[in-house]
Amino acid sequence: LGVINQAVAGCPHRFAYSCTLKPGWFLLTGFVKHDVVDGTSSSYEFGSNRFCSEPAFAPRNNPKSEDDGYLVTFVTDMNNKTSEFVMIDARDVEAGPVCRLKLPHRISSGTHACWCPRRLLEKSAYWKTKRKTTPSKL
């Protein structure tokens, strides 16, 4: 399972992000950042019995580089039977989460997600017709 910054999809790019697996299981235990130009990599593991979902790449506003953004994922902690939303700075994967938001319920590991910038959401028919909260209050 791997992702790139979608701004460079279809173009030469330097960075790719993949997941590490629990041996013998299809459980994702962490992330690896691959520098495909110089052949190096760096990684982060979420810890014992903590399993993540495939990450999405969320670029910062006005990014300065290809890796200027976040890897976003859900992490399920089987030790505590909890789940959280996690953001990792894609420029420094080894540093671990820069944001952790506890979810009200445990979710299964492997939950899929994607990243969509707010500017695109605001153009959607759903946002315009069904949204109960105005964008200024989010």
PDB file of all heavy atoms in Angstrom, residues 58-70:
ATOM      1  N   ALA A  58      -2.000  14.889   2.739  1.00  0.00           N
ATOM      2  CA  ALA A  58      -2.726  16.164   2.792  1.00  0.00           C
ATOM      3  C   ALA A  58      -1.702  17.295   2.686  1.00  0.00           C
ATOM      4  O   ALA A  58      -0.980  17.566   3.646  1.00  0.00           O
ATOM      5  CB  ALA A  58      -3.503  16.273   4.102  1.00  0.00           C
ATOM      6  N   PRO A  59      -1.602  17.952   1.527  1.00  0.00           N
ATOM      7  CA  PRO A  59      -0.597  19.016   1.376  1.00  0.00           C
ATOM      8  C   PRO A  59      -0.949  20.235   2.225  1.00  0.00           C
ATOM      9  O   PRO A  59      -2.120  20.524   2.468  1.00  0.00           O
ATOM     10  CB  PRO A  59      -0.650  19.356  -0.107  1.00  0.00           C
ATOM     11  CG  PRO A  59      -2.001  18.919  -0.557  1.00  0.00           C
ATOM     12  CD  PRO A  59      -2.402  17.770   0.320  1.00  0.00           C
ATOM     13  N   ARG A  60       0.093  20.922   2.675  1.00  0.00           N
ATOM     14  CA  ARG A  60      -0.130  22.194   3.359  1.00  0.00           C
ATOM     15  C   ARG A  60      -0.607  23.216   2.327  1.00  0.00           C
ATOM     16  O   ARG A  60      -0.378  23.061   1.132  1.00  0.00           O
ATOM     17  CB  ARG A  60       1.175  22.708   3.960  1.00  0.00           C
ATOM     18  CG  ARG A  60       1.562  22.054   5.259  1.00  0.00           C
ATOM     19  CD  ARG A  60       2.766  22.804   5.870  1.00  0.00           C
ATOM     20  NE  ARG A  60       3.114  22.268   7.144  1.00  0.00           N
ATOM     21  CZ  ARG A  60       3.890  21.210   7.348  1.00  0.00           C
ATOM     22  NH1 ARG A  60       4.403  20.566   6.328  1.00  0.00           N
ATOM     23  NH2 ARG A  60       4.167  20.788   8.559  1.00  0.00           N
ATOM     24  N   ASN A  61      -1.241  24.276   2.809  1.00  0.00           N
ATOM     25  CA  ASN A  61      -1.548  25.395   1.921  1.00  0.00           C
ATOM     26  C   ASN A  61      -0.229  26.026   1.487  1.00  0.00           C
ATOM     27  O   ASN A  61       0.677  26.184   2.308  1.00  0.00           O
ATOM     28  CB  ASN A  61      -2.408  26.435   2.637  1.00  0.00           C
ATOM     29  CG  ASN A  61      -3.804  25.928   2.903  1.00  0.00           C
ATOM     30  OD1 ASN A  61      -4.323  25.099   2.163  1.00  0.00           O
ATOM     31  ND2 ASN A  61      -4.414  26.416   3.963  1.00  0.00           N
ATOM     32  N   ASN A  62      -0.097  26.351   0.230  1.00  0.00           N
ATOM     33  CA  ASN A  62       1.122  26.955  -0.321  1.00  0.00           C
ATOM     34  C   ASN A  62       2.381  26.152   0.031  1.00  0.00           C
ATOM     35  O   ASN A  62       3.303  26.672   0.645  1.00  0.00           O
ATOM     36  CB  ASN A  62       1.268  28.408   0.166  1.00  0.00           C
ATOM     37  CG  ASN A  62       0.065  29.230  -0.181  1.00  0.00           C
ATOM     38  OD1 ASN A  62      -0.370  29.255  -1.325  1.00  0.00           O
ATOM     39  ND2 ASN A  62      -0.514  29.889   0.822  1.00  0.00           N
ATOM     40  N   PRO A  63       2.421  24.890  -0.355  1.00  0.00           N
ATOM     41  CA  PRO A  63       3.573  24.046   0.009  1.00  0.00           C
ATOM     42  C   PRO A  63       4.870  24.559  -0.606  1.00  0.00           C
ATOM     43  O   PRO A  63       4.889  25.110  -1.698  1.00  0.00           O
ATOM     44  CB  PRO A  63       3.206  22.686  -0.553  1.00  0.00           C
ATOM     45  CG  PRO A  63       2.208  22.956  -1.622  1.00  0.00           C
ATOM     46  CD  PRO A  63       1.473  24.199  -1.211  1.00  0.00           C
ATOM     47  N   LYS A  64       5.959  24.336   0.134  1.00  0.00           N
ATOM     48  CA  LYS A  64       7.286  24.771  -0.303  1.00  0.00           C
ATOM     49  C   LYS A  64       8.071  23.652  -0.971  1.00  0.00           C
ATOM     50  O   LYS A  64       9.089  23.900  -1.601  1.00  0.00           O
ATOM     51  CB  LYS A  64       8.084  25.302   0.883  1.00  0.00           C
ATOM     52  CG  LYS A  64       7.375  26.378   1.691  1.00  0.00           C
ATOM     53  CD  LYS A  64       7.237  27.666   0.906  1.00  0.00           C
ATOM     54  CE  LYS A  64       6.635  28.768   1.757  1.00  0.00           C
ATOM     55  NZ  LYS A  64       5.312  29.175   1.385  1.00  0.00           N
ATOM     56  N   SER A  65       7.610  22.400  -0.803  1.00  0.00           N
ATOM     57  CA  SER A  65       8.297  21.257  -1.385  1.00  0.00           C
ATOM     58  C   SER A  65       7.296  20.130  -1.590  1.00  0.00           C
ATOM     59  O   SER A  65       6.174  20.182  -1.087  1.00  0.00           O
ATOM     60  CB  SER A  65       9.442  20.796  -0.470  1.00  0.00           C
ATOM     61  OG  SER A  65       8.927  20.383   0.783  1.00  0.00           O
ATOM     62  N   GLU A  66       7.706  19.119  -2.311  1.00  0.00           N
ATOM     63  CA  GLU A  66       6.826  17.984  -2.594  1.00  0.00           C
ATOM     64  C   GLU A  66       6.340  17.293  -1.327  1.00  0.00           C
ATOM     65  O   GLU A  66       5.211  16.814  -1.262  1.00  0.00           O
ATOM     66  CB  GLU A  66       7.579  16.976  -3.469  1.00  0.00           C
ATOM     67  CG  GLU A  66       6.797  15.743  -3.814  1.00  0.00           C
ATOM     68  CD  GLU A  66       7.622  14.713  -4.560  1.00  0.00           C
ATOM     69  OE1 GLU A  66       8.541  15.098  -5.320  1.00  0.00           O
ATOM     70  OE2 GLU A  66       7.351  13.523  -4.376  1.00  0.00           O
ATOM     71  N   ASP A  67       7.174  17.232  -0.297  1.00  0.00           N
ATOM     72  CA  ASP A  67       6.796  16.554   0.943  1.00  0.00           C
ATOM     73  C   ASP A  67       6.273  17.508   2.019  1.00  0.00           C
ATOM     74  O   ASP A  67       6.177  17.156   3.194  1.00  0.00           O
ATOM     75  CB  ASP A  67       7.955  15.710   1.481  1.00  0.00           C
ATOM     76  CG  ASP A  67       9.184  16.527   1.838  1.00  0.00           C
ATOM     77  OD1 ASP A  67       9.281  17.711   1.452  1.00  0.00           O
ATOM     78  OD2 ASP A  67      10.079  15.961   2.500  1.00  0.00           O
ATOM     79  N   ASP A  68       5.898  18.719   1.626  1.00  0.00           N
ATOM     80  CA  ASP A  68       5.384  19.713   2.572  1.00  0.00           C
ATOM     81  C   ASP A  68       3.889  19.475   2.801  1.00  0.00           C
ATOM     82  O   ASP A  68       3.036  20.041   2.123  1.00  0.00           O
ATOM     83  CB  ASP A  68       5.639  21.127   2.036  1.00  0.00           C
ATOM     84  CG  ASP A  68       5.446  22.200   3.088  1.00  0.00           C
ATOM     85  OD1 ASP A  68       5.186  21.853   4.264  1.00  0.00           O
ATOM     86  OD2 ASP A  68       5.551  23.394   2.733  1.00  0.00           O
ATOM     87  N   GLY A  69       3.599  18.581   3.725  1.00  0.00           N
ATOM     88  CA  GLY A  69       2.223  18.229   4.032  1.00  0.00           C
ATOM     89  C   GLY A  69       2.188  17.192   5.138  1.00  0.00           C
ATOM     90  O   GLY A  69       3.163  17.018   5.878  1.00  0.00           O
ATOM     91  N   TYR A  70       1.076  16.495   5.231  1.00  0.00           N
ATOM     92  CA  TYR A  70       0.869  15.535   6.313  1.00  0.00           C
ATOM     93  C   TYR A  70       0.421  14.189   5.772  1.00  0.00           C
ATOM     94  O   TYR A  70      -0.301  14.119   4.784  1.00  0.00           O
ATOM     95  CB  TYR A  70      -0.203  16.051   7.270  1.00  0.00           C
ATOM     96  CG  TYR A  70       0.138  17.372   7.886  1.00  0.00           C
ATOM     97  CD1 TYR A  70      -0.332  18.559   7.325  1.00  0.00           C
ATOM     98  CD2 TYR A  70       0.947  17.446   9.008  1.00  0.00           C
ATOM     99  CE1 TYR A  70      -0.007  19.783   7.879  1.00  0.00           C
ATOM    100  CE2 TYR A  70       1.280  18.677   9.570  1.00  0.00           C
ATOM    101  CZ  TYR A  70       0.790  19.838   8.990  1.00  0.00           C
ATOM    102  OH  TYR A  70       1.115  21.044   9.536  1.00  0.00           O
TER     103      TYR A  70
END
